[in-house]
Amino acid sequence: MTDAHETAADSSLGTTGGAPPDDAGSSATGAPIPLLEPREGIPPVIADEASLAEAVAAFAAGTGPVAVDAERASGYRYGQRAYLVQLRRQGAGTALIDPVACPDLSALGDALAGTEWVLHAATQDLPCLREIGMIPTRLFDTELAGRLAGFPRVGLGAMVESVLGYVLEKGHSAVDWSTRPLPEPWLRYAALDVELLVDLRDALEKELDRQGKLEWARQEFDAIAAAPPPEPRKDPWRRTSGMHKIRRRRQLAVVRELWQTRDRIARRRDVSPGKVLSDTAIVEAALALPADVRALAALNGFGHRMSRRQLEQWQAAIDRARALPDPQLPSSGQPVTGPPPPRAWADKDPAAAARLSAARAAVTALAEQLGMPQENLVSPDIVRRVCWEPPRPADAAAVAAALASHGARPWQVEQVTPVLVGALTAAGRGQGQG
């Protein structure tokens, strides 16, 4: 049993209640303290090159890790660009930067090269930070650290409260951050989001070290920092909500035409696509295949407050789909590059289904023993791929190589290989006996 196994099995561990023990080994008690104001007050928003240059110099001269956060306008604007960037570092204080007025922050990114960036749910913010020239080479993700340490609630507010004993202000996370000027209460909220992020990082590092998981976390953080930008999604229109109702290829063509028309309009107007036309309306139109504007206007999502011109543009998209020759209609499903959906395994390959069932049970048990979510112990997709095409023979060396080839980190390979070998072997014996 490794140190992590022993620590996770220790009943005195505070993470099951949502807080790691303090230095004396006991969880903090007492009412949490509301955090109402940044300790140096709300800094002015940096919105010109001169102020930005001062901030770059200040943060370059700072010490220790730098807390970084970004606010987007999801649900209001097209895309996921950043509308406010917040940073805090010892010796530099807190900075609030307007990336609309200062769209190139590469000088700031360069000034922080080699510095550890502390982010909460890093994969959410890294794409929009990359767009403005901020790309970390080292990072610490406090949300992921919380997952690995076994915290039941890993939102920033919950983590700050359970680990540090402070209550962050709530209520502004989903506002329209493209608003200018930004209201003072929003700026206060944004500054407080990075106020304690480095303190949270330090406490979580101690807890991960105590559990024997710090090296695991470092491998995860390095993988996030080294990951290339994600490839553009193929056929993004297929993710329209309600697609499970669509059965015919002609209807799929309508969804595609309406989605692409909506996307062009949303991009041009810089608004969220859902504000142009809802997914529900797209699916309604695809199911009904209206022949004219009058029929379209009778459908949910089209008649209410929609002008004749708008109705005509949607009907034109539908007409284009209706006029497509059969060979140009989209296929009913996307090509599968990996194993089939698990629900089909029992029919396609009962032996593989047995392997997957045994592997899932073994991995779930190990995750519970280690005190972390199963998907953080190993990706379910990796488990499926190994079970669908297991190495022959399924010994430790071959299974470890298979896990690594599918992208598992070294710590994951070390932990998962023994239980996966056992599951594959047991499933194989079961099938042989059958």
Side-chain angles (χ1 to χ4, degrees):
M1 183 179 281
T2 66
D3 291 344
H5 286 81
E6 293 170 351
T7 307
D10 184 352
S11 61
S12 68
L13 184 63
T15 53
T16 54
D22 59 22
D23 292 338
S26 60
S27 295
T29 58
I33 303 168
L35 190 64
L36 303 177
E37 288 287 338
R39 65 194 87 172
E40 295 104 10
I42 304 172
V45 177
I46 294 170
D48 60 74
E49 293 303 319
S51 301
L52 178 60
E54 292 178 6
V56 169
F59 276 84
T63 58
V66 57
V68 183
D69 191 20
E71 305 294 347
R72 299 177 298 279
S74 303
Y76 297 93
R77 295 290 182 176
Y78 186 87
Q80 295 294 317
R81 67 172 296 183
Y83 283 93
L84 187 70
V85 175
Q86 309 102 278
L87 304 97
R88 182 174 180 84
R89 192 181 191 191
Q90 185 174 343
T94 297
L96 303 178
I97 304 175
D98 179 359
V100 177
C102 301
D104 182 4
L105 299 187
S106 56
L108 181 59
D110 292 343
L112 296 172
T115 299
E116 181 188 84
W117 296 24
V118 184
L119 301 103
H120 192 82
T123 54
Q124 295 183 19
D125 286 340
L126 289 178
C128 70
L129 291 171
R130 185 181 285 111
E131 288 181 357
I132 53 180
M134 296 186 65
I135 305 172
T137 55
R138 297 170 52 216
L139 63 83
F140 190 107
D141 186 332
T142 49
E143 185 204 46
L144 181 51
R147 291 181 184 277
L148 295 174
F151 284 80
R153 297 166 61 227
V154 294
L156 180 59
M159 294 287 287
V160 167
E161 182 174 341
S162 61
V163 177
L164 302 177
Y166 288 94
V167 178
L168 288 176
E169 181 185 356
K170 301 175 182 177
H172 299 307
S173 60
V175 299
D176 181 2
W177 287 95
S178 68
T179 301
R180 293 296 183 270
L182 286 164
E184 183 176 294
W186 300 10
L187 296 174
R188 180 181 298 108
Y189 164 91
L192 290 174
D193 262 5
V194 292
E195 182 81 4
L196 297 177
L197 205 50
V198 172
D199 302 74
L200 179 61
R201 172 236 179 272
D202 293 343
L204 288 171
E205 183 179 59
K206 287 182 180 179
E207 177 62 11
L208 288 166
D209 191 34
R210 192 185 73 83
Q211 292 189 28
K213 298 175 180 175
L214 184 55
E215 174 56 28
W216 303 359
R218 286 172 174 155
Q219 290 181 26
E220 292 298 303
F221 302 156
D222 288 346
I224 294 173
E231 294 288 330
R233 190 180 297 276
K234 180 176 173 58
D235 292 345
W237 58 270
R238 290 186 184 272
R239 294 179 61 84
T240 303
S241 179
M243 281 290 286
H244 62 281
K245 301 176 183 178
I246 304 298
R247 295 285 183 265
R248 291 153 48 194
R249 294 176 64 200
R250 184 72 57 186
Q251 294 171 332
L252 287 172
V254 172
V255 172
R256 181 176 64 184
E257 286 292 338
L258 287 173
W259 190 97
Q260 291 175 344
T261 300
R262 179 183 71 173
D263 192 66
R264 287 193 294 271
I265 295 169
R267 184 189 295 270
R268 185 179 70 245
R269 290 169 50 190
D270 190 18
V271 297
S272 169
K275 290 187 174 295
V276 176
L277 188 68
S278 70
D279 280 9
T280 300
I282 288 177
V283 172
E284 285 276 331
L287 292 171
L289 292 174
D292 53 38
V293 167
R294 183 174 180 179
L296 179 64
L299 300 178
N300 289 336
F302 288 94
H304 185 60
R305 295 182 181 176
M306 192 169 283
S307 69
R308 175 79 181 189
R309 186 183 65 81
Q310 289 173 312
L311 286 169
E312 287 175 348
Q313 76 182 359
W314 301 127
Q315 185 62 48
I318 296 168
D319 291 343
R320 288 194 297 272
R322 289 168 61 97
L324 282 175
D326 287 351
Q328 294 181 24
L329 295 176
S331 61
S332 56
Q334 291 178 290
V336 177
T337 56
R343 62 179 179 273
W345 286 31
D347 292 331
K348 290 179 178 291
D349 189 338
R355 291 192 295 267
L356 182 61
S357 178
R360 281 174 163 174
V363 169
T364 298
L366 178 59
E368 291 175 355
Q369 186 182 355
L370 293 174
M372 68 175 66
Q374 180 268 318
E375 63 270 19
N376 292 115
L377 174 58
V378 63
S379 161
D381 179 66
I382 292 177
V383 175
R384 286 193 295 269
R385 289 175 184 271
V386 172
C387 289
W388 184 251
E389 294 182 344
R392 308 286 187 191
D395 57 21
V399 170
L403 287 168
S405 71
H406 292 305
R409 258 73 72 190
W411 77 268
Q412 295 174 317
V413 173
E414 179 184 4
Q415 295 298 315
V416 173
T417 294
V419 298
L420 211 50
V421 168
L424 294 174
T425 302
R429 283 198 301 265
Q431 286 294 307
Q433 292 166 358

